[in-house]
Structures are given as structure tokens and as C-alpha cells.
Amino acid sequence: MPRPVILTVDDDPGVSRAVARDLRREYGEHHRIVRADSGDAALEALREIALRGEQVAVILADQRMPRMSGVEFLERAMDLFPRARRVLLTAYADTEAAITAINVVDLDHYLLKPWDPPEEKLYPVVDQLLEAWRRSPDRPSTDTRIVGHRWSARSYELRDLLARNQVPFRFHLADDPEGARLLEAAGCGTERLPVVITGEGRALVEPSDAEVAEQVGLSTHATAELYDLAVVGGGPGGLGAAVYGGSEGLRTVLVESLATGGQAGTSSRIENYLGFPDGVSGSQLTDRARRQAVKFGVEVLTTRTVTGLGVRGGVRILTFDDGSEIAAHAVVLATGVSYRTLDDVPGLTAYAGEGVFYGAATTEAPSCADETVYVVGGANSAGQAAMNFSRYASRVVMLVRGESLTSSMSHYLIEQIEAVGHIEVRTCTEVVAAEGEGHLEKLTLRDRATGEEERVDAQWLFVFIGARPRTDWLDGTVERDDRGFVLTGPDLPVPSSGAGSSEGREPLHLETSLPGVFAVGDVRGGSVKRVASAVGEGAMAVSLVHRWLENR
């Protein structure tokens, strides 16, 4: 195996050489020391390291560099090596830079120059960071390859699965030379695609999500039969419950059907979350939360779909789609919501994953370069997606059924959209038809005020309309409102058919009609659809779980 990399970047040649010399003297035997004199040069070095499948353990970056500050560089470096430990260097105390770095790049250490003697001021810091990195190293960035067709719904689903689980991969078109070479080497033809090729050289032909997850090292099977707390759903609410459950000593398992983060995890930028004045991407925020949960001993299962919830004796039983079960003393439901589909639009259903995407589909953004992207919806999720796609597309058209954005979108986001010249907002507009050969090629748009229709060229349509709770599997188990959202606490009908009547008490605030089962986040009826409120409910649910466990 190649030696893990320690990278240092500083625009002062003398300081850069001194840092590299000190690091090489102490760590050169077991690590490769890479030195760069600018943020751009360091990013290029990181890209080359990633292409070679090597790992980066620690990054030390000077804050006061021209063209790209240390914080800006570290934020971009996180996309390439999210688990590398990060150190910010400065020649004097810079409180503002330190706070920014902690908020934006999850800084591991802040180091003042000079650090003479290094034996006292530099090496102990690096030793500690290397030890932390060894406990959770990066996966080699070139291990997993997907070979498929450009307009393939299943190829997109696999790319989305790996990207949202922070698994580096490469996608190759089957008719490109490299894709053809990989298929030939794996002994596969083009008749059955996509093909996933693992780092060990195993070819998975048309694999299921669970097969891919297991091969790339994600946990898919529970290690125990009984837990103190089972959390169903890995969005902000579920992650909040898992972190607090694990930190308070509960044996906790978190079950997620696709990837931790939920809808929030696909957001390109969350700018109104407390403590992040410069914003944070949904993937960064939820990846930190997942790592935090694992640090507290939480077991995280991915690509596992829960299909049933029941009671057996004194425990709650979760049943998976393969018929297997786990038991828990308490359960938190945090399954969130899914975007509503445009099933009533003629022709549109056929292009799901083939030009039509429900949600941000962040893996597709770079493929939209210099093209026109259509975004359906007028709430924050649609606005954040439009801002993200505007970084790549030559034109972004927002299709909004209402008369304006003001009733459904945050003010700060409206101002950002108005400041981007190539984002066009078309109000009172809806999609009424779609057509194409093998993938989306045309849309028919209708002006809801005048009834006039317009047929436009379109290869990219991203839909963010409404929210449908993921609660069909709870039918007959817990009480829900007429839209399918789970009722809890005081919102339960009186007399309650569950918690109140069966135990002679009123249900706890976030407790459902089934005693010992709680609901948090978007899936809960009457909840505030914001990341911060979901995290708060997750934390509150754990305190209520303790009350439930103590008084049962």
C-alpha cells in the first residue's frame, strides 16, 4: 500500500520548506510529505493523489495566502478527502479566521507560527491527528467504478447511492474506450448494464443497492438482535436522535434505506443553520453528523428498508424487506418526506432518471455544463438547487405555479437568485407534457394565467414540489393525519387508541399512538420543515425515550 500523504501548503517559500523539512524528519519513513506554494497548486496535487488511489491523512494550510485563503482551500479540499485531518497555520492570533474555519471546514487544530521547537509544538499535534485519522481513514478514491449508459435511470441511481454515502467512484460510459476496456477486463458485455467494478476487481452485473453497499464497505446488517433505541431514517432528525442516544449511553442503531442526510443531505448550501454564518453544504453537515454518531458507538445500517413495526412482549420489532427483524426498547421514526411526482403530466413518468429527477440529484450538476436546466418548485429546496445548477448551466429556468416566490421561499435565497443573471423565474407556469427518444428532449409549458402553451427544448428537469411522508408502511400501526403525517403527543385524538388508553397516561410530547415509539422531523404532523428544528426534535426525543424507559 502507498504511504499516506501529509500535505502542507504555504505561499512563503522559506516557511514551506521548513514545514516540509520538519514533517519529513519525523514522519517521512511512514508518510509521503507533499509541499505546495499555493491553494491552486495544492488542489491540483490532491487531485493527482486521488487519481492514484492514495490517501491523505493530514493537511496543513496557511491562512494568509493570496488568491485563496487557507479556509477556502480547506473547504475545497474536503470535497476530495473529507476525512483528512485539517490544520490552519497563521503567524499571529486570528480569532475570526479560527471561528470561520471551525464553522466552515470542521477544523481539527489551529497552529501559530513559528512552532519551534517542533518536538513540543508541532509533532504532538500531528501525532494526535494521525491517530484520529487511522481510526477512520479515507477510502481509496478510485476503488469503485460504474460502467453504464448516459441516459440510464439505474446508472443514475447507483451514482446517487455512492455519492450520498461519501463513497468515491468513477462513472464510465459503456461506449467510451475506458468503459469498453473495463467491461472486457471484467468479462462483461454491454447487454446487461450497469456494471459495478469493485477495488478487488469483482464485477457486479446489474447489482442491487444492498449488494453495492456491502461491497464498498457500508454496514448493511445489524450486529445485535436487541437495542435500547432504534432510529428509522437518517435525515437531520434521525441523526440528531442517534447522536444524542449514543452520547447518553443507549445502545443505538440507525437504519437508512439509501444514505444518511435525507433531503437536507442533497442541499448544495444551507445558509440559515445556526453556527454556520458562511453556510454549509448538506453533504458536509450530514457527513459530520454521521461520523459524530459513529464516534459515540451508534451502528449505522444503509440500504435497509423497514417494512413493519410491531410489539412483542416488552420490545418494539422492526421488520426489514427481506423478512429479518431487530428489536428495540424504544423507536424513533424519522423517515422524512419524498418529493411528489408529476405522474399526471403525459410522458413525464417514462423519463425518471433519464432527464427527469426528483430532488437535487447533485451527481448530475457537472453534466449540465453550458446547458439549460429547468427547476420545478418555489420553496427553499428548489431555490438552493437553482443556485447550485447556476454554477454549471448556462441558463436555469425556475417554473413556479404561484404568483411569486415570497410566500414559499426564504428572503435571503430570493435575493441570491435575483442577483444571478442567468437564473430566470417564470411564475404561474406549469409543465403539461414531455417527450423524447430514449431520454427527455422536449417540455410543454403552460401559463396558468393566460392558458398559453409553449414547447421548449429540455434535457434536464429537476422537480421539487410538495412533500409526501414516507409512512405507508405504518398503515394500521400508528395514527396519522389525512395526509399521512404521523400524529404525536397532544395532536393525537382523544381518547387515544394507543399510548393514553393502553397505559393509563397521556402520551409524551413526541410519542405516537404506539407507546415507546416517537416521531421527529418532517414525518411528524405539524412539524416545522427546517433542518434545525428536526435536529432539535431528535435531541428532545432521546430525553423522552429516557423517561419512557425509566417509567415503563
Side-chain angles (χ1 to χ4, degrees), residues 119-363:
E119 290 79 7
E120 294 181 9
K121 298 183 179 180
L122 177 62
Y123 298 155
V125 171
V126 178
D127 287 343
Q128 181 181 11
L129 297 179
L130 286 173
E131 177 59 30
W133 176 82
R134 290 187 192 101
R135 291 196 296 266
S136 59
D138 289 302
R139 302 180 184 93
S141 60
T142 57
D143 270 2
T144 306
R145 315 244 179 153
I146 303 174
V147 183
H149 295 303
R150 176 68 194 90
W151 298 109
S152 162
R154 185 54 184 155
S155 293
Y156 158 69
E157 290 170 356
L158 289 176
R159 296 197 304 272
D160 190 51
L161 169 69
L162 295 179
R164 293 181 61 182
N165 279 290
Q166 305 287 323
V167 178
F169 69 95
R170 288 190 192 179
F171 176 64
H172 301 276
L173 296 175
D175 52 3
D176 279 354
E178 180 64 11
R181 185 192 69 78
L182 289 171
L183 291 177
E184 182 180 2
C188 303
T190 59
E191 297 80 15
R192 298 175 62 197
L193 295 177
V195 171
V196 175
I197 302 172
T198 69
E200 292 74 27
R202 182 182 178 188
L204 308 176
V205 180
E206 296 180 318
S208 67
D209 287 355
E211 288 175 315
V212 173
E214 190 166 357
Q215 288 299 316
V216 299
L218 299 175
S219 297
T220 58
H221 297 284
T223 61
E225 296 181 353
L226 177 64
Y227 295 86
D228 296 319
L229 173 64
V231 181
V232 185
L239 286 167
V243 167
Y244 280 89
S247 68
E248 295 180 15
L250 298 178
R251 183 166 190 179
T252 303
V253 61
L254 184 149
V255 183
E256 170 55 48
S257 61
L258 179 62
T260 53
Q263 288 187 3
T266 67
S267 175
S268 59
R269 205 74 178 167
I270 301 172
E271 298 201 46
N272 58 355
Y273 189 74
L274 183 67
F276 290 86
D278 297 310
V280 61
S281 74
S283 62
Q284 289 177 1
L285 182 65
T286 55
D287 180 58
R288 294 177 194 178
R290 184 198 61 78
R291 288 191 283 120
Q292 192 174 18
V294 171
K295 183 186 76 170
F296 287 126
V298 175
E299 194 173 325
V300 179
L301 307 182
T302 56
T303 66
R304 298 305 307 270
T305 301
V306 180
T307 57
L309 170 64
V311 178
R312 186 181 302 157
V315 297
R316 279 70 196 136
I317 303 297
L318 294 178
T319 304
F320 296 113
D321 54 357
D322 63 357
S324 62
E325 298 177 342
I326 60 172
H329 294 296
V331 172
V332 171
L333 303 176
T335 50
V337 297
S338 58
Y339 292 112
R340 297 187 181 278
T341 57
L342 294 172
D343 294 335
D344 57 340
V345 176
L348 201 63
T349 304
Y351 304 117
E354 300 174 357
V356 178
F357 304 93
Y358 292 91
T362 51
T363 57

Side-chain angles (χ1 to χ4, degrees), residues 436-483:
E437 292 292 332
H439 63 89
L440 179 67
E441 294 179 323
K442 300 280 186 181
L443 288 175
T444 300
L445 310 179
R446 176 188 294 158
D447 187 312
R448 301 182 70 235
T450 66
E452 295 182 2
E453 294 187 355
E454 176 186 4
R455 192 162 170 261
V456 298
D457 293 329
Q459 288 191 319
W460 303 96
L461 179 70
F462 298 88
V463 182
F464 302 83
I465 55 168
R468 183 175 63 85
R470 297 189 176 99
T471 58
D472 292 343
W473 63 284
L474 292 170
D475 189 25
T477 303
V478 299
E479 300 222 21
R480 300 174 294 162
D481 65 17
D482 55 2
R483 295 185 298 162

